[in-house]
Amino acid sequence: MEAETVKRRRMPKAQRMEQMLSVAEEVFAERGYLAASMDEIAERVGVSKPMLYEYFGSKEGLLIGCVHKARTELRTRTEAAIAKASTPEEFLRLGLLAFFEFIAEHTKSWALLRHEASITVPSAQEEVEGIRQQQTDLIASVLSGFAPDIDALEAEAFAEIVVGACERLALWCERRPSVGPALATDYVVNLVWNGVAARIKA
Amino acid sequence: MEAETVKRRRMPKAQRMEQMLSVAEEVFAERGYLAASMDEIAERVGVSKPMLYEYFGSKEGLLIGCVHKARTELRTRTEAAIAKASTPEEFLRLGLLAFFEFIAEHTKSWALLRHEASITVPSAQEEVEGIRQQQTDLIASVLSGFAPDIDALEAEAFAEIVVGACERLALWCERRPSVGPALATDYVVNLVWNGVAARIKA
DNA sequence: CCGGTAGGTTACTCCAAGTAAGTTACGAGC
DNA sequence: GCTCGTAACTTACTTGGAGTAACCTACCGG
């Protein structure tokens, strides 16, 4: 194993990139974006610092890469979960549960997503917002499917509310170890389900 | 006026502090926390950079001061609004409306509050979280007042959900100029009110 | 073995957060 | 008006980390 590492100094680009993202996520999560240094990340990866720049362009580029990865994984996870749903309530419940379970299992990714506000490059902000919007678009379109009469703007607003509620509650759950994914899901559903149902019946 | 400025270079500490906070809020909002420089803030205030450190200790200390101020103002505003409420729905509606109105009128303060995640000093994180918790505690205690049987943990969770929902929706409103404070308030109330009401009636 | 390509390094620059050492505005008292 | 002391202030500097210039080499195929 160790002999293998020393002998194979080079790594295919895609593999190296993946390794960099993994290490960066760890360091960003541990130290926060600001305090994380490219020197430390490079050292942990086992490359020189300019390699990080070769691969990601900047510190921010690396953060964007990590955010992109985490959000894509989260989305894949929640989409797989709701694919099993057949009623609106089931859709909501399974989607939320998947979200809270992902957060609980990937504390580093979650810690990292909280630094999205640090992204300053406008094009990157748009990209990240685009990823997030895929999530809210999914919720809004499912809602529209169940309630064809709902105003498009309102469907969007509802989706944003649900996403915001979950993210805030996830932060709160960190301080409440007794609240697991299932209970957190119950809390959100208990609060918003009737509001959603009213729209479906109208 | 100009002669007055040149002649009175010094300023009482409290007044100077207030001026620094005001300018810092502006620069942080314009450029984001990361890209904002202490040099620029000092220049705009009309003092040398070490004065900022004399007054706030660090760049982060300055951010904390600004966040503290904005959150205190927000809280004062929403508390004054809900003091007029007599029914649970009125309480919710007036509080939410005050929140969205504050955001609409203080875009700089709001822009700044989005950088809270940049705060890294543990004691400061606790302080900021404490300020935020005053807000959620207020919501939770009002909810408990109307629904004495509600579980304390659940009341807390509901409060967090409502706060998270509002903050996320406020971000969305920035991209939807047609959605003003009143409409945003309606959206949130429409979604969560029935869930709250169910708890009050139970 | 040699050459070429793709992955990689060392040494450096620069800027902004923060600091050391020193200055002065201004009010009170004589 | 002058002097002294205090509180508000400055200039010049250091340092660490983001980012880069110039160059190196692992490794595979012929």
Side-chain angles (χ1 to χ4, degrees):
Chain A
M1 185 68 182
E2 181 124 43
E4 178 79 15
T5 304
V6 171
K7 285 200 173 169
R8 295 280 174 177
R9 293 286 300 282
R10 295 188 169 190
M11 203 179 271
K13 196 155 182 170
Q15 191 184 343
R16 180 69 85 188
M17 207 172 199
E18 200 58 42
Q19 183 196 18
M20 286 175 175
L21 284 174
S22 184
V23 170
E25 184 182 74
E26 198 167 296
V27 178
F28 285 147
E30 275 175 37
R31 303 195 183 287
Y33 176 66
L34 272 201
S37 76
M38 295 297 264
D39 276 323
E40 185 179 351
I41 293 169
E43 195 180 317
R44 287 202 198 182
V45 171
V47 296
S48 65
K49 191 168 59 173
M51 292 315 301
L52 293 177
Y53 292 96
E54 177 71 36
Y55 279 67
F56 293 97
S58 65
K59 187 180 182 183
E60 185 161 59
L62 188 54
L63 176 66
I64 288 161
C66 292
V67 166
H68 202 286
K69 184 176 168 231
R71 282 222 166 262
T72 301
E73 283 171 2
L74 172 60
R75 189 174 137 239
T76 302
R77 185 73 173 268
T78 52
E79 283 181 1
I82 62 178
K84 301 164 193 159
S86 49
T87 69
E89 187 177 357
E90 209 169 54
F91 155 76
L92 183 66
R93 196 173 285 275
L94 290 181
L96 296 189
L97 186 61
F99 171 79
F100 286 114
E101 280 176 347
F102 179 86
I103 298 302
E105 290 160 22
H106 300 75
T107 54
K108 282 169 189 163
S109 298
W110 174 234
L112 182 117
L113 291 177
R114 291 167 55 187
H115 288 279
E116 283 182 1
S118 297
I119 296 171
T120 57
V121 186
S123 62
Q125 284 177 329
E126 281 170 28
E127 189 191 339
V128 170
E129 196 52 45
I131 297 170
R132 187 193 283 265
Q133 206 155 343
Q134 285 172 23
Q135 193 94 2
T136 51
D137 282 352
L138 177 64
I139 298 173
S141 71
V142 169
L143 185 58
S144 296
F146 286 123
D149 293 343
I150 196 168
D151 180 58
L153 200 62
E154 189 168 18
E156 255 184 66
F158 279 17
E160 295 285 338
I161 292 169
V162 170
V163 168
C166 292
E167 287 180 357
R168 182 65 209 173
L169 196 66
L171 284 180
W172 177 77
C173 289
E174 284 176 354
R175 306 196 312 270
R176 298 289 184 278
S178 65
V179 181
L183 186 52
T185 300
D186 282 344
Y187 285 151
V188 179
V189 171
N190 287 346
L191 199 57
V192 308
W193 168 243
N194 287 347
V196 176
R199 277 294 173 278
I200 294 173
K201 284 159 186 167
Chain B
M1 183 66 183
E2 181 124 42
E4 177 78 17
T5 303
V6 172
K7 285 195 173 171
R8 295 277 174 178
R9 293 283 302 280
R10 293 184 172 193
M11 203 180 270
K13 194 154 183 169
Q15 190 184 342
R16 180 69 83 189
M17 207 171 197
E18 199 57 41
Q19 183 196 16
M20 285 175 176
L21 283 174
S22 183
V23 170
E25 184 183 75
E26 198 168 296
V27 179
F28 284 147
E30 275 175 36
R31 301 193 187 288
Y33 176 66
L34 272 200
S37 76
M38 295 296 264
D39 276 325
E40 185 179 352
I41 292 169
E43 194 180 317
R44 287 201 197 183
V45 172
V47 296
S48 65
K49 192 167 59 173
M51 291 315 301
L52 293 177
Y53 292 95
E54 176 71 38
Y55 279 65
F56 292 97
S58 64
K59 187 181 182 182
E60 185 161 58
L62 188 52
L63 176 65
I64 287 161
C66 292
V67 166
H68 202 288
K69 186 178 166 229
R71 283 222 167 261
T72 302
E73 284 169 3
L74 172 59
R75 191 173 134 238
T76 303
R77 184 74 173 266
T78 51
E79 283 181 0
I82 63 178
K84 301 164 192 161
S86 51
T87 69
E89 187 176 356
E90 210 168 51
F91 155 77
L92 183 66
R93 196 174 283 275
L94 290 181
L96 296 188
L97 186 62
F99 171 80
F100 287 113
E101 281 176 347
F102 179 86
I103 298 301
E105 290 161 22
H106 300 77
T107 54
K108 283 171 187 159
S109 297
W110 175 234
L112 182 117
L113 291 177
R114 291 166 55 188
H115 288 281
E116 284 181 0
S118 297
I119 295 171
T120 56
V121 186
S123 62
Q125 285 178 329
E126 280 169 29
E127 190 192 335
V128 170
E129 196 52 43
I131 298 170
R132 185 193 283 264
Q133 205 154 345
Q134 286 172 24
Q135 193 94 0
T136 51
D137 281 353
L138 177 63
I139 298 173
S141 70
V142 169
L143 186 57
S144 296
F146 286 123
D149 292 344
I150 196 168
D151 180 52
L153 201 60
E154 189 168 17
E156 256 184 66
F158 280 16
E160 295 285 337
I161 291 170
V162 170
V163 167
C166 292
E167 288 180 358
R168 182 66 209 172
L169 196 66
L171 284 180
W172 177 78
C173 288
E174 284 177 352
R175 306 194 314 268
R176 298 289 183 277
S178 64
V179 180
L183 187 52
T185 301
D186 282 344
Y187 285 152
V188 180
V189 171
N190 287 346
L191 199 57
V192 307
W193 168 244
N194 287 348
V196 175
R199 277 294 173 281
I200 294 172
K201 285 161 184 165

